[in-house]
Amino acid sequence: MARPSAVTYEQVAAIANNLVAAGNRNPSAAAIREELAKRAAPGTPTGSPNTVQRHLDEWRRRERPVEAVDAPQLPPQLAGDIARALSAAATHAREQVEERLAQVQAELDELAVTGERNEATIEQLTNDLAERTSQRDGMAGQLADRTSELASVKSELAAAEERLAQLEREILEARASAQAAEGRVEEIRASTERQLAQAQQDLREARAETAQARSAAVDAEKRAVAAEARLEGAQRALEASTQQLTQATAELQRLQPEATRAAAAEAANRGHVEQIQLLTQTVDMIRRLVPERPDVGAAGAGKGS
């Protein structure tokens, strides 16, 4: 949409008449704009060339003065014939000129309107360009901020990856420690099994000695005492094995926060507890199988009688 012009037709017509009076028979749009600039206050618009041209064309159609031409002194008859011929030719020429002038004027009007529309478009585009430039500057600032944030995120990511690598190394070390602890547990288990086998062997020997003791009370009592001493030794060995299992269990529990396979260690610990319970039951069974000393004494008394 075209903006209202600050220059009116009356201003253009007044300046054009003044220029004609001063001797300028065909004032141009540039001359009128120059006069407008002289008369306008500082900072006041002087009108666009298209607007001034449109007002000037209208002035030429409506108010442009026609210069008087002195007719030559001719005979009246000839002057009349010439005047009639000139009038007819002038009429025809004027009609053609007016028709062409009207066409040209219509083209000029269309060009003026188009020029004003283009001026409005140029102004709008200029405003849009300024707005886009401002937006571009703002986006450039945002891009700089995002670039800084991206660099910070990359730095944090690198630190996180370094921490992750450190945790993986610690997990590997914990797994190695857990495997070493499991190896120690296996050694303790094997030692316990050997001790249990020895205790069972001692139990069998004690049973054999007890059978012989029924025929020889004194020897049987001595053998029973020796068997009980071996049994106590086996119990002490069993207690030592139990203590070692307890230490190994505590070691596994200490490694649980560092290892990723705490569940496996816990299951192994439960197996150790079950083995301890089994050993305890075995000891109880051994105690039940070993004859009490009063019985041995009674057997000796029977032999004496």
Side-chain angles (χ1 to χ4, degrees):
M1 182 177 179
R3 298 175 292 104
S5 176
V7 178
T8 64
Y9 169 79
E10 287 74 13
Q11 292 175 318
V12 174
I15 294 174
N17 291 328
N18 291 336
L19 291 175
V20 171
N24 188 347
R25 297 182 179 181
N26 189 19
S28 63
I32 292 177
R33 291 188 75 245
E34 183 178 354
E35 290 296 324
L36 286 171
K38 293 179 181 179
R39 300 181 183 185
T44 302
T46 59
S48 66
N50 291 310
T51 303
V52 173
Q53 185 64 49
R54 181 163 52 84
H55 292 330
L56 181 60
D57 293 338
E58 185 178 357
W59 170 81
R60 287 172 178 168
R61 291 194 304 269
R62 295 169 53 182
E63 302 182 21
R64 181 175 182 177
V66 179
E67 297 180 0
V69 179
D70 296 333
Q73 299 294 327
L74 296 174
Q77 181 64 35
L78 181 58
D81 294 337
I82 293 175
R84 285 190 295 270
L86 291 174
S87 178
T91 300
H92 180 69
R94 183 173 60 253
E95 291 175 354
Q96 291 181 344
V97 170
E98 288 177 354
E99 181 179 356
R100 179 56 182 166
L101 181 61
Q103 182 180 358
V104 171
Q105 188 62 46
E107 294 175 356
L108 291 175
D109 292 341
E110 183 178 357
L111 290 175
V113 172
T114 302
E116 292 180 352
R117 187 182 302 112
N118 291 337
E119 289 176 356
T121 302
I122 291 172
E123 182 177 0
Q124 181 64 37
L125 291 175
T126 302
N127 295 333
D128 292 343
L129 178 60
E131 183 177 357
R132 296 295 185 275
T133 302
S134 177
Q135 293 177 355
R136 182 202 61 191
D137 295 340
M139 292 178 67
Q142 294 178 1
L143 179 60
D145 295 339
R146 295 298 180 273
T147 303
S148 177
E149 293 176 0
L150 180 60
S152 177
V153 169
K154 287 183 178 179
S155 177
E156 294 177 358
L157 179 60
E161 291 178 349
E162 179 63 25
R163 290 196 297 271
L164 179 60
Q166 180 64 27
L167 289 175
E168 290 178 350
R169 290 192 294 271
E170 293 177 358
I171 289 173
L172 292 176
E173 293 175 358
R175 286 178 178 173
S177 300
Q179 291 177 356
E182 290 178 357
R184 290 195 295 272
V185 169
E186 291 296 332
E187 293 176 359
I188 294 172
R189 179 186 300 169
S191 176
T192 302
E193 291 177 352
R194 289 193 298 271
Q195 292 176 4
L196 180 59
Q198 183 64 39
Q200 291 175 349
Q201 178 66 26
D202 293 342
L203 178 60
R204 287 192 294 271
E205 292 176 358
R207 286 177 178 175
E209 291 175 359
T210 301
Q212 295 175 1
R214 292 185 183 277
S215 60
V218 177
D219 293 339
E221 183 177 2
K222 292 180 180 179
R223 292 177 183 275
V225 170
E228 184 176 359
R230 286 195 297 272
L231 179 61
E232 291 178 356
Q235 288 179 345
R236 287 193 296 271
L238 179 62
E239 291 176 356
S241 298
T242 304
Q243 185 176 3
Q244 291 178 353
L245 285 174
T246 303
Q247 293 176 353
T249 302
E251 180 68 15
L252 286 177
Q253 291 178 350
R254 186 182 66 81
L255 293 174
Q256 280 181 346
E258 303 175 357
T260 59
R261 301 191 177 186
E266 186 177 356
N269 187 24
R270 287 198 297 268
H272 300 157
V273 173
E274 292 176 356
Q275 290 181 1
I276 292 172
Q277 292 177 353
L278 180 60
L279 290 175
T280 303
Q281 293 174 0
T282 303
V283 171
D284 293 339
M285 182 180 67
I286 292 172
R287 287 179 177 176
R288 288 195 299 270
L289 293 176
V290 174
E292 299 294 335
R293 294 181 62 182
D295 295 339
V296 175
K303 183 177 179 180
S305 62

